[in-house]
């Protein structure tokens, strides 16, 4: 090999020096944008958490096919919080300090998001809480955003339609019972229900909570029955929902109107399990199979989710959660691309000042990070057959009662008539 002269060496060194920045830039571009989640994969709300995670994975795959965010692939890093709020702060701390995530999403649910907020605030992180109710009223944190349909009226939206329907009945019912778990979500929802009931002219004659570990709901339902209210409003997560519905059926309890925000009744396997026991119950929902909810792209997301869910022991339809999980990713994507940044302050400023096109419709946030407009509907179960999947896929056994712009049917009142 001939010797390399000094002039050639200088050329090689110069070329290497010019190439190094490009090599470094390529290496940085190849590093993934890490998005962290504390997510319920086991425990009482695991059905919901698993749906949300699959939806986010579908979004991640779609983003990466398009080239990622800011030219970098997206990676989801998540840990199971076991539906237990006490696990959430440690998970969030690990995501931020050990995994060094660039962005946070979630967690899911009021109880878990409330537990995460002190860590999020302390570390100046932005998050989009998934289907949590009224959390930011305690923190007033400008970098919190909510994927919940409550709008400016906050938690009162969970029950306003319920009591509006009750007030329309003739003769108008007079008395109300309010019941929920002694936990963040239920307490928040029942606080709103109390305000709405009184504002609508009802007298609250029973207003109590039960301990979260409760499994036998017969004493709870008997206590409500003994108070003899006309209307019963329940705020409950999935296990409690099943226990309360079964206890009411076993006791033969039929107030004039029965329902509320019963999260378990948004889950298809639980609906199929309870079957005809659901008849007459009026519940709040955020997304239903109806022409007015057929937003661009949502049918495709649900179809793809169902292909994944077919091999899992989870909700095969995904109406109540999947669209919101995918839309959460879409909003984060639009904010990152709109700002060309991962800086939480820049992202928050952008999210407060822009609207977002998502599979749950066009959205805009208010000052508190909640949706600028509420979108809550109330439905009633009718003629539910046992073990019939298709009836829930089509929505034919759950007409929308309220609000008027989404209405597809009238309430059957009193509750006992819908049970016949």
């Amino acid at each position: 090999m001939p010797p390399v002269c000094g002039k050639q060496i200088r050329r090689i060194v110069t070329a290497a020096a010019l190439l190094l920045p490009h090599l470094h830039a390529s290496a940085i571009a190849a590093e993934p944008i890490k998005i962290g989640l504390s997510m319920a994969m086991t425990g009482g709300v695991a059905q919901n958490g698993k749906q949300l995670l699959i939806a986010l994975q579908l979004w991640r795959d779609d983003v990466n096919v398009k080239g990622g965010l800011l030219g970098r692939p997206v990676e989801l890093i998540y840990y199971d919080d076991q539906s237990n709020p006490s696990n959430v702060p440690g998970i969030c701390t690990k995501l931020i300090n050990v995994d060094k995530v660039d962005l946070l999403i979630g967690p899911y649910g009021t109880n878990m998001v409330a537990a995460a907020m002190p860590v999020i605030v302390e570390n100046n992180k932005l998050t989009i809480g998934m289907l949590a109710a009224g959390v930011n009223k305690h923190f007033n944190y400008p970098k919190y955003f909510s994927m919940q349909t409550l709008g400016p009226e906050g938690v009162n939206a969970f029950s306003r339609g319920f009591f509006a329907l009750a007030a329309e009945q003739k003769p108008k019912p007079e008395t109300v019972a309010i019941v929920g778990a002694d936990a963040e979500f239920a307490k928040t929802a029942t606080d709103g229900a109390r305000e709405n009931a009184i504002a609508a002219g009802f007298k609250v004659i029973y207003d109590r909570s039960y301990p979260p570990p409760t499994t036998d709901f017969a004493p709870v339902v008997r206590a409500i029955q003994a108070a003899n209210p006309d209307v019963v409003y329940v705020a409950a997560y999935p296990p409690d929902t099943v226990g309360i519905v079964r206890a009411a059926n076993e006791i033969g309890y039929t107030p004039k109107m029965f329902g509320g925000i019963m999260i378990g009744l948004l889950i298809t396997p639980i609906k199929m399990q309870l079957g005809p026991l659901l008849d007459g119950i009026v519940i709040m929902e955020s997304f239903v199979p109806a022409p007015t909810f057929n937003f661009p792209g949502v049918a495709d997301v649900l179809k793809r989710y169902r292909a994944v869910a077919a091999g899992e022991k989870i909700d095969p339809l995904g109406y109540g959660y999947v669209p919101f999980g995918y839309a959460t990713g879409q909003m984060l994507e639009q904010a990152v691309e709109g700002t060309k940044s991962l800086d939480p302050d820049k992202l928050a400023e952008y999210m407060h000042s822009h609207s977002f096109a998502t599979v749950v419709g066009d959205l805009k946030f208010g000052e508190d990070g909640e949706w600028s407009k509420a979108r809550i509907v109330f439905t009633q179960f009718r003629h539910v057959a046992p073990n019939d999947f298709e009836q829930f896929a089509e929505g034919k056994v759950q007409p929308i009662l309220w609000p008027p712009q989404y209405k597809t049917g009238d309430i059957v009142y009193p509750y006992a008539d819908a049970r016949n």
Side-chain angles (χ1 to χ4, degrees):
M1 178 182 287
V4 179
C5 69
K7 193 172 183 180
Q8 288 175 311
I9 292 173
R10 285 195 299 273
R11 285 176 181 169
I12 293 169
V13 171
T14 301
L18 291 171
L19 183 61
L20 276 174
H22 298 288
L23 292 173
H24 181 62
S26 298
I28 292 174
E31 293 177 5
I33 290 177
K34 295 185 286 187
I35 302 177
L37 305 96
S38 170
M39 185 55 66
M41 304 301 295
T42 57
V45 294
Q47 276 276 340
N48 313 352
K50 288 178 180 178
Q51 292 178 63
L52 289 166
L53 181 60
I54 290 173
L56 284 165
Q57 289 169 333
L58 292 174
W59 166 76
R60 173 205 60 199
D61 294 345
D62 290 344
V63 167
N64 286 339
V65 165
K66 293 184 292 186
L69 295 180
L70 306 181
R72 297 163 59 185
V74 170
E75 177 186 353
L76 299 178
I77 299 176
Y78 55 90
Y79 300 101
D80 178 15
D81 59 37
Q82 302 174 323
S83 307
N84 186 343
S86 65
N87 292 333
V88 173
I91 289 174
C92 290
T93 300
K94 184 176 189 293
L95 288 166
I96 294 167
N97 295 329
V98 179
D99 297 305
K100 306 291 184 182
V101 296
D102 300 289
L103 301 166
L104 288 173
I105 289 179
Y108 159 70
T110 308
N111 297 356
M112 273 61 78
V113 174
M117 285 300 288
V119 178
I120 291 168
V121 173
E122 181 183 350
N123 287 275
N124 190 39
K125 288 291 185 179
L126 177 143
T127 195
I128 304 172
M130 288 189 283
L131 298 163
V135 170
N136 207 25
K137 69 180 182 181
H138 303 298
F139 297 92
N140 297 311
Y141 184 56
K143 289 182 275 293
Y144 171 82
F145 298 87
S146 177
M147 182 46 76
Q148 177 58 278
T149 63
L150 298 177
E153 64 182 319
V155 295
N156 287 28
F158 276 145
S159 55
R160 186 165 67 85
F162 184 87
F163 291 109
L165 286 165
E168 292 172 358
Q169 305 314 306
K170 294 181 174 51
K172 178 184 173 181
E174 297 178 356
T175 56
V176 170
I178 297 172
V179 64
D182 186 12
E184 184 70 24
F185 159 72
K187 287 193 290 186
T188 299
T190 54
D191 285 347
R194 190 177 307 112
E195 289 184 29
N196 282 328
I198 293 169
F202 295 103
K203 181 180 180 181
V204 179
I205 61 171
Y206 183 96
D207 189 355
R208 296 183 188 175
S209 61
Y210 53 84
T214 299
T215 55
D216 180 7
F217 285 91
V220 174
V221 176
R222 288 190 187 280
I224 299 170
Q225 184 181 40
N228 195 31
D230 296 323
V231 175
V232 177
Y233 181 89
V234 178
Y237 269 153
D240 305 5
T241 296
V242 174
I244 289 168
V245 170
R246 288 197 178 281
N249 180 71
E250 290 166 5
I251 292 167
Y253 181 44
T254 54
K256 292 179 180 177
M257 187 170 165
F258 179 43
I261 179 166
M262 304 174 79
I263 300 299
L265 303 189
L266 307 183
I267 300 170
T268 306
I270 290 178
K271 294 179 183 181
M272 293 178 66
Q273 177 193 131
L274 294 173
L277 301 187
L278 299 174
D279 283 345
I281 295 176
V282 175
I283 63 164
M284 182 233 88
E285 300 207 54
S286 299
F287 194 97
V288 294
T292 46
F293 284 74
N294 190 22
F295 303 106
V298 72
D300 178 66
V301 170
L302 288 168
K303 180 181 178 181
R304 291 162 58 208
Y305 162 79
R306 289 165 190 171
V308 177
E312 305 287 340
K313 294 182 178 180
I314 56 174
D315 193 312
L317 295 177
Y319 287 127
Y321 299 93
V322 173
F324 297 102
Y326 193 91
T328 299
Q330 286 181 302
M331 291 191 303
L332 202 59
E333 173 186 357
Q334 290 169 43
V336 169
E337 293 294 354
T339 60
K340 303 300 180 187
S341 173
L342 300 175
D343 179 81
D345 294 304
K346 292 179 180 178
L347 291 171
E349 183 179 354
Y350 184 93
M351 292 177 71
H352 278 296
S353 58
H354 288 73
S355 59
F356 297 85
T358 79
V359 295
V360 293
D362 292 340
L363 308 178
K364 190 170 177 59
F365 291 106
E367 190 175 327
D368 59 356
E370 299 289 344
W371 287 22
S372 62
K373 293 182 180 178
R375 196 180 70 216
I376 294 287
V377 300
F378 281 85
T379 67
Q380 184 180 39
F381 290 98
R382 309 270 187 82
H383 309 295
V384 179
N387 301 313
D388 182 354
F389 169 79
E390 288 301 328
Q391 65 187 335
F392 299 116
E394 299 167 5
K396 64 182 181 181
V397 294
Q398 278 185 268
I400 301 171
L401 311 178
W402 185 95
Q405 66 265 35
Y406 294 116
K407 186 175 178 180
T408 60
D410 296 314
I411 188 172
V412 175
Y413 179 90
Y415 171 63
D417 286 0
R419 308 271 300 161
N420 294 330

